[in-house]
Structures are given as C-alpha cells and as structure tokens.
C-alpha cells in the first residue's frame, strides 16, 4: 500500500509539473509576442563633449523614426578598450567609429564585418561618396567601413602679415618658397620671431607636400609603401632648402618650443607667430570662437605643376560594424541612416567637418562657415589623395613620422631618411 500510494503521489506530482511546464511555455510564447519590441543595439563611439551631444541627437532622431531598432549610445573614448572588445569572442557593441587608416589592418585580422551585402540591401549609394574618402574603406575588394565625416588640407594665411610684407597669397611652389622667406622674421641675434610656414603636424604637412609635388606614398597600386618615390624626395628637398637649410634646424626648433597650444587662444597662427599653415577645415569653425579678430584667408595648396592644382590630402572619420556584433543587420540599418543626407549634414556641422558625400558639398547648410567652401571644393577633385589603409599602414605611419622628424631636425637628409623607411617596409606584414 505504501508503495502504491507513493507512486500515485509521484504520478500526481509529475502531472502537476508537466502542467506547469506547459503553462510556462505558453506564457513564454505570449511574453515573446508581447515584448517583441525593438532590437537594442549599442553604438560605442570615441567622441565626447559637444561632439557626443550632436551624435546623441542623431541617435534620438533615428530611434523616433522607426520602431524596430533601438540604438543606445555610449561615449567611450578609450581606443584600446574598443580594440579589446572587437578582438574578443563576445563584443560589447554593435557599431563604432575610428579613423580610415585603421580599416585595412583590422579587416585583415577579421575583426571587421564586410558591409557590401547590407549596404546593397539598405540601398546605400556608394557612388555618392567622395572617391578619395572611399579608398580607405575597402580591403581586398570588400567594403568594411563608411566615412561619416572627412577632412582636407588647405593653405591658410594671415592677411595682415602678408599685406605688411607685400606678399600675395602664393599659387605656385616657387611663390610659396618666396613668401616663406619674406614672412620669416629674425631678430638681431638671428632668432626667429615669426615663421613663414607653420607646422601643426609634421607627418600631415610633409605627406601632403609629397602629393603636391606629384608623389605617392603607397605606390601606383595603392598597396605598396613607396617612401623613396622621386617626387616625395623632391618635396622634402624643397622643404629643407626653403626652411631647414635657410634658417637652421636648431633655430626653428627653438622657435617652435615656445609656441602656444594648438587651437587655443595662444595658437601660433592665431597670434601671428606663423604667417601661413597647411591645416584642416575644423579651423574654420574654431577661429571664430577662439580668435574672432584674426584676419585670415585660405587658398588651395600650391602645386609643383599645373596638372596638380587642387592637390589636398584626405583623411576620414569612419563607422564600422565589428565581426562579433550579434546584430549586424540592425547595426547596418542604423549605419545606412546616419550616412543619409540630413544626419550627415547635422553631424558634420556640429563637428565642423566635411560631409563625405559629393552631393552635399554645395549644400547651403555650410555656407555660414567662413572660408569653409575652400576645403569643401577640393574634396571631389581628382587630386584629392588619401594614404592607403593596408595591414602595414600603422607601422608605416610610425616609421614615416620618425623619419620626417629626422628631416625637420636636420639630422638626416630626405634621401637617407626615406631609404631607412623603405628598408623597414620590407619586413611589414602584408596581411
């Protein structure tokens, strides 16, 4: 009797548990239907401050525009943390940003998701992006990122200093060299008190000059380091003969060591210590805020020959989807949205950057920014150049930077410095 009774109780218990299980399954199904709201994706971005506020506005607009996807923005300026997450089996975000020169290296390591199928499905017109900006977005024939904003370089000049020296804005390399001589001022001891051409970034300045002389830094195929290209050497020789040899590397170094912080009220271009600089479009937004009384202008970078007119260097701010994202399709839909006309315009205006789409280059939204059109117009030109984004690019940039510093400091000739980079490039990882 005890055994039979026990079995009956167990039978009743199993029946009860089965009923609970069935009910639970039914409730789960109902719960799934009831909570089948938007898929949440995480957008971890490197921007902060005012830039982050502008990006959060774009995110909010996207979330309001549809009900299938909810984007949660996270400001995380730690690039190493970003890379660590992308390299793990379980990533912490679905979409993020960086610069175009990282695309080739990251794509070759398999940590970026190829985007072509998603972009086709979401009807993103890749042909509308400035060609130079897209050069950094591809690796092995596939698209791995899109540019949300781009940057070009132009020659900025202090109108008052040029007028006082009787100098017209230069349009050729010879005119630029002459202007630099006239605009570089020394005191009785020979110390420089004003320099004709400033140097906000040595690597950007000298690679841009290489392009302006018709050189290439990544070979004719765009995939091979070519630091010893004859036109690159010509550009560096021009720089050394115009500045380093003429005024002395030690005196230039002494002068620059006492200059104020870049883009602050003490920026040497703002305070008249530098008569001219080759710099990016962000200055057009910063100058009215920080140095509103500065009388300045901007012109195309002088080129070594007529066919090189309008030469500039392009760099990019990119958006990408990591391979370990669990919501690639949803992240791609948001990516397609943010590179749409209005979001891109709103975001680039907030940052003081250029839109990457050629259809927006003449948009009236940018017309209120002083001199901004100068940077805009060269972006779509055939002489807009971008450094390659290949597996070797980061290492190459480091080696070029070291070699350029040696040239500027007068401790190595352009020929010797670039040969040292070419020798190192033989051991680069080809991916």
């Amino acid at each position: 009797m005890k055994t039979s009774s026990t079995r009956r109780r167990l039978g009743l218990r199993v029946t009860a548990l089965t009923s609970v299980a069935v009910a639970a399954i039914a409730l789960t199904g109902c719960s799934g239907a009831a909570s089948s709201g938007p898929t949440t994706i995480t957008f971890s971005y490197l921007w902060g401050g005012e830039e982050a506020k502008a990006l959060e506005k774009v995110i909010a607009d996207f979330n309001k525009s549809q009900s299938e996807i909810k984007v949660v923005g996270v400001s995380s300026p730690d690039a190493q943390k970003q890379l660590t997450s992308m390299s793990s089996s379980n990533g912490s975000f679905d979409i993020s940003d960086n610069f175009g020169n990282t695309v080739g290296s990251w794509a070759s390591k398999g940590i970026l998701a190829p985007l072509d199928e998603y972009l086709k499905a979401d009807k993103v017109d890749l042909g509308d992006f400035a060609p130079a900006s897209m050069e950094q977005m591809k690796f092995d024939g596939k698209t791995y990122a899109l540019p949300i904003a781009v940057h070009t370089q132009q020659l900025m000049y202090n109108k008052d200093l040029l007028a006082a020296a009787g100098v017209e804005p230069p349009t050729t390399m010879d005119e630029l060299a002459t202007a630099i001589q006239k605009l570089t001022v020394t005191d009785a001891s020979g110390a420089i008190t004003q320099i004709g051409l400033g140097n906000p970034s040595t690597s950007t300045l000298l690679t841009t000059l290489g392009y302006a002389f018709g050189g290439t830094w990544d070979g004719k195929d765009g995939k091979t380091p070519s630091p010893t290209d004859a036109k690159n050497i010509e550009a560096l020789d021009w720089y050394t003969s115009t500045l380093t040899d003429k005024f002395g590397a030690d005196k230039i170094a002494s002068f620059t060591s006492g200059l104020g912080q870049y883009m602050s009220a003490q920026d040497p271009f703002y305070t008249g210590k530098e008569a001219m600089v080759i710099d990016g479009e962000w200055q057009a937004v910063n100058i009215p805020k920080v140095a509103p009384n500065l009388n300045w202008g901007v012109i195309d970078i002088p080129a070594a020959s007529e066919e090189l007119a309008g030469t500039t260097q392009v760099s990019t701010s990119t958006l990408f989807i990591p391979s370990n994202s669990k919501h690639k399709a949803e992240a791609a839909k948001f990516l397609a949205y943010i590179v749409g006309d209005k979001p891109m315009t709103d975001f680039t205006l907030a940052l003081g950057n250029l839109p990457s789409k050629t259809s927006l280059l003449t948009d009236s939204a940018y017309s209120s920014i002083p001199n901004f059109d100068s940077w805009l117009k060269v972006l779509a030109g055939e002489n807009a150049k971008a450094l390659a984004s290949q597996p070797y690019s980061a290492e190459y940039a480091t080696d070029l930077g070291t070699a350029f510093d040696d040239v500027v400091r007068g401790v190595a000739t352009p020929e010797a410095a670039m040969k040292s980079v070419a020798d190192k490039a033989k051991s680069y990882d080809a991916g």
Side-chain angles (χ1 to χ4, degrees):
M1 290 294 294
K2 183 177 180 182
T3 301
S4 178
S5 175
T6 301
R7 286 176 179 170
R8 282 198 299 270
R9 287 198 300 271
L10 286 173
L12 289 170
R13 187 176 179 186
V14 169
T15 301
L17 288 173
T18 302
S19 299
V20 171
V22 170
I25 291 170
L27 286 172
T28 301
C30 292
S31 175
S35 64
S36 60
T39 299
T40 298
I41 65 171
T42 301
F43 180 14
S44 177
Y45 50 83
L46 300 177
W47 289 287
E50 293 301 314
E51 292 87 352
K53 290 180 182 178
L55 197 55
E56 286 295 337
K57 173 65 168 58
V58 174
I59 292 172
D61 289 344
F62 172 76
N63 287 338
K64 290 177 184 176
S65 72
Q66 46 74 57
S67 58
E68 296 179 355
I69 304 166
K70 179 182 179 181
V71 178
V72 175
V74 178
S75 177
S76 182
D78 188 338
Q80 185 56 50
K81 182 179 178 182
Q82 177 193 57
L83 184 58
T84 300
S85 173
M86 293 164 60
S87 303
S88 68
S89 57
N90 293 305
S92 60
F93 57 84
D94 300 289
I95 184 170
S96 192
D97 70 282
N98 210 289
F99 296 103
N101 57 3
T102 64
V103 174
S105 174
W106 289 359
S108 70
K109 292 178 172 63
I111 60 177
L112 297 186
L115 302 177
D116 296 281
E117 290 186 9
Y118 297 116
L119 299 177
K120 184 177 180 180
D122 291 316
K123 298 179 180 176
V124 176
D125 180 11
L126 296 182
D128 193 19
F129 291 86
S133 72
M134 287 302 295
E135 289 177 10
Q136 293 188 331
M137 304 299 106
K138 295 179 178 290
F139 178 72
D140 275 355
K142 294 181 180 180
T143 307
Y144 286 91
L146 284 183
I148 178 61
V150 294
H151 324 283
T152 59
Q153 299 287 311
Q154 288 286 66
L155 180 68
M156 301 167 57
Y157 59 93
N158 184 312
K159 291 183 177 181
D160 294 336
L161 294 181
L162 266 66
V167 173
E168 293 293 325
T171 59
T172 68
M173 279 297 171
D174 287 343
E175 289 178 1
L176 179 58
T178 299
I180 290 171
Q181 307 303 313
K182 291 183 177 180
L183 292 164
T184 300
V185 179
T186 58
D187 62 17
S189 67
I192 298 171
T193 58
Q194 174 185 299
I195 199 161
L197 182 66
N199 182 8
S201 166
T202 299
S203 289
T204 301
L205 173 62
L206 296 184
T207 50
T208 302
L209 287 177
Y211 290 132
F213 273 83
T216 173
W217 297 100
D218 294 283
K220 292 182 179 180
D221 63 356
K223 300 177 181 179
T224 309
S226 55
T228 56
D229 180 278
K231 294 299 182 180
N232 294 343
I233 301 299
E234 186 178 346
L236 298 182
D237 282 338
W238 177 91
Y239 181 86
T240 55
S241 63
T242 302
L243 281 155
T244 311
D245 296 345
K246 179 73 175 179
F247 300 103
D250 55 337
K251 291 181 179 178
I252 293 174
S254 178
F255 171 74
T256 57
S257 66
L259 297 179
Q261 183 180 352
Y262 178 64
M263 291 183 69
S264 72
Q266 288 72 46
D267 181 296
F269 180 67
Y270 301 174
T271 57
K273 296 290 187 180
E274 297 172 341
M276 299 181 291
V277 291
I278 290 176
D279 211 349
E281 78 286 342
W282 51 84
Q283 287 282 17
V285 175
N286 195 61
I287 289 174
K289 296 177 182 177
V290 179
N293 297 322
L294 180 64
N295 187 17
W296 66 287
V298 62
I299 195 172
D300 285 358
I301 297 169
S305 61
E306 202 170 302
E307 61 269 21
L308 293 170
T311 293
T312 190
Q313 182 171 176
V314 177
S315 55
T316 56
S317 294
T318 65
L319 297 171
F320 62 85
I321 298 172
S323 294
N324 59 13
S325 165
K326 295 178 177 61
H327 306 291
K328 295 183 182 66
E330 291 83 0
K333 287 187 181 298
F334 174 62
L335 174 56
Y337 173 86
I338 199 172
V339 297
D341 290 359
K342 187 178 186 304
M344 180 179 287
T345 301
D346 291 346
F347 185 58
T348 52
L349 279 172
L351 270 65
N353 293 159
L354 308 178
S356 56
K357 298 168 72 172
T358 55
S359 59
L360 297 177
L361 297 181
T362 56
D363 194 298
S364 60
Y366 301 97
S367 60
S368 63
I369 306 175
N371 297 318
F372 205 65
D373 60 324
S374 181
W375 283 279
L376 284 165
K377 67 183 176 62
V378 294
L379 177 57
E382 61 181 14
N383 288 324
K385 309 291 184 180
L387 294 170
S389 185
Q390 293 291 324
Y392 63 76
S393 294
E395 191 173 3
Y396 185 34
T398 298
D399 291 339
L400 278 176
T402 300
F404 288 151
D405 283 341
D406 288 345
V407 170
V408 169
R409 291 187 299 112
V411 299
T413 65
E415 292 82 357
M418 293 303 100
K419 184 180 182 302
S420 71
V421 177
D423 290 341
K424 293 174 183 176
K426 295 174 183 176
S427 64
Y428 289 165
D429 180 8

